[in-house]
Amino acid sequence: MASTDNVSVLMEKKDYAELKEFIRKVKLDELKTEYFAAIIETGALLVKQEPFDLKSGGKSRVYLNHNHFLSKYEYLRLLASIYLKLIEGKTQNYKLSSVDSVISPVIVGVMSGLSGKDVVVFKEKITEHGTKEDVYGQASGEVVLVDDLTTTGNSLLNAARKIRQKGGTVNYAVVSVCRNEKARERLAK
């Protein structure tokens, strides 16, 4: 059945909640398609014979080079919009946080600007200057974690642990790439 047929049936049934969910999924699919096209168009998807070294210590011949791709605002906004659509409907009152990396905090900043949500900044190590903390902002309440990609899930698990230690709740994390099914399983626990 075509998309317009689905909309017509839902309108006739006056099933507006299901219609709203259908429209959200269509919009999310459009955003994902735009994201994948941009990755290909910009050459951000790298494949080479000699493996790349990963932060996790592993190696991979396939690498998503977000470094240059996500230094452009239009792509940051696109990924931030996808992440916000993924969160939509799952929770209402939440703050945003990221793993301690280069680009994930930037994505969270754009998400905060688009959504008006507060931010909690997480650092893997206590800073040696200023207030010498590892979590900045109010970690209370629900916090949604953001990472651009994960291999083992360790960075997300470490961030969740620290936020929970500060009184926050972490029920959701969003990533654009999960390289390993075991990471997904570890995060689901």
Side-chain angles (χ1 to χ4, degrees), residues 9-185:
V9 168
L10 293 172
M11 294 278 293
E12 287 172 17
K13 290 172 41 180
K14 295 188 179 187
D15 192 343
Y16 299 117
E18 191 173 335
L19 177 62
K20 186 177 177 182
E21 179 62 16
F22 174 78
I23 291 169
R24 187 190 75 76
K25 285 180 181 175
V26 167
K27 179 67 176 165
L28 181 59
D29 288 344
E30 289 172 7
L31 288 170
K32 286 179 181 178
T33 300
E34 189 178 339
Y35 173 68
F36 292 128
I39 286 171
I40 300 303
E41 182 180 304
T42 60
L45 184 63
L46 305 176
V47 180
K48 67 178 192 174
Q49 207 54 26
E50 186 163 326
F52 293 93
D53 294 324
L54 305 176
K55 180 180 176 183
S56 66
K59 294 187 179 292
S60 177
R61 293 182 352 162
V62 179
Y63 188 77
L64 180 56
N65 189 7
H66 270 160
N67 299 347
H68 299 293
F69 177 74
L70 290 177
S71 64
K72 296 186 184 304
Y73 176 71
E74 69 180 298
Y75 301 133
L76 273 169
R77 188 183 70 227
L78 174 61
L79 188 56
S81 297
I82 291 170
Y83 282 4
L84 289 169
K85 279 286 178 198
L86 288 168
I87 297 167
E88 189 178 282
K90 303 239 186 297
T91 183
Q92 296 292 321
N93 300 314
Y94 62 92
K95 297 171 188 160
L96 295 163
S97 186
S98 70
V99 299
D100 189 6
S101 70
V102 174
I103 203 67
S104 295
V106 177
I107 298 168
V108 164
V110 174
M111 290 173 71
S112 176
L114 292 173
S115 68
K117 297 294 185 184
D118 290 338
V119 173
V120 178
V121 178
F122 156 77
K123 302 295 290 174
E124 283 188 13
K125 296 179 184 169
I126 294 175
T127 58
E128 296 180 15
H129 62 280
T131 57
K132 299 180 181 183
E133 297 181 61
D134 55 1
V135 177
Y136 297 84
Q138 299 299 315
S140 60
E142 187 165 8
V143 178
V144 175
L145 281 171
V146 172
D147 197 356
D148 63 326
L149 57 94
T150 188
T151 301
T152 64
N154 282 342
S155 296
L156 287 162
L157 291 169
N158 289 338
R161 182 180 44 77
K162 289 214 176 181
I163 288 168
R164 288 178 179 131
Q165 286 172 349
K166 299 288 184 180
T169 304
V170 178
N171 295 317
Y172 300 100
V174 289
V175 298
S176 61
V177 176
C178 184
R179 292 181 198 257
N180 186 323
E181 194 61 34
K182 289 184 182 178
R184 184 186 310 254
E185 291 167 9

